[in-house]
Amino acid sequence: QLQFVESGGGLVQPGGSLRLSCAASGFTLDNYAIGWFRQAPGKEREGVSCISRGGGIKNYADSVKGRFTISRDNAKNTVYLQMNSLKPEDTAVYYCAAPPRGQGCGNYPVDGMNYWGKGTLVTVSS
């Protein structure tokens, strides 16, 4: 069974940094593009970033460009999201997810993802 486990969330002050991890189990990660998504209280889930199977293509939402960096280590079956210069509006539960095997990121729509983790909470507050 395909499973993701997100970790690395927590409370951080504005301007601070966190690195989220998405560990996969039950399958080989390098067969899948992986996306990071987030859902703030009272808001819809939205795409944050996506990385292709080989890591050569990385997409970012405009709201995080220049501040967040997605990467992957297929040998460790893990995808990362480095978040710098965090803002209060980045506060949300962050999820990783994958589209069907072999499919690329495209515009990584929420409803195009087949497999989801349970999320990790990021709170940016002073």
Side-chain angles (χ1 to χ4, degrees):
Q1 184 176 358
L2 278 65
Q3 287 188 330
F4 289 119
V5 177
E6 301 94 337
S7 61
L11 173 64
V12 63
Q13 291 187 343
S17 298
L18 284 174
R19 188 176 81 154
L20 305 184
S21 298
C22 169
S25 64
F27 65 104
T28 302
L29 194 64
D30 57 5
N31 289 321
Y32 296 86
I34 301 294
W36 280 100
F37 298 79
R38 66 186 181 186
Q39 187 164 18
K43 294 188 177 182
E44 293 186 353
R45 193 169 298 188
E46 62 176 1
V48 174
S49 184
C50 190
I51 188 168
S52 61
R53 285 171 288 164
I57 299 173
K58 302 176 184 180
N59 300 327
Y60 298 95
D62 288 344
S63 59
V64 307
K65 279 180 182 176
R67 300 188 298 122
F68 290 12
T69 303
I70 193 170
S71 62
R72 66 191 298 157
D73 186 338
N74 288 341
K76 293 183 178 180
N77 239 24
T78 302
V79 174
Y80 304 97
L81 186 68
Q82 177 67 42
M83 307 188 296
N84 298 329
S85 302
L86 283 161
K87 305 175 181 180
E89 52 263 43
D90 295 317
T91 295
V93 177
Y94 283 71
Y95 302 88
C96 59
R101 176 175 175 164
Q103 186 170 310
C105 284
N107 59 354
Y108 49 110
V110 171
D111 59 3
M113 301 294 133
N114 277 10
Y115 313 104
W116 291 88
K118 294 185 178 180
T120 184
L121 176 63
V122 172
T123 303
V124 184
S125 175
S126 55

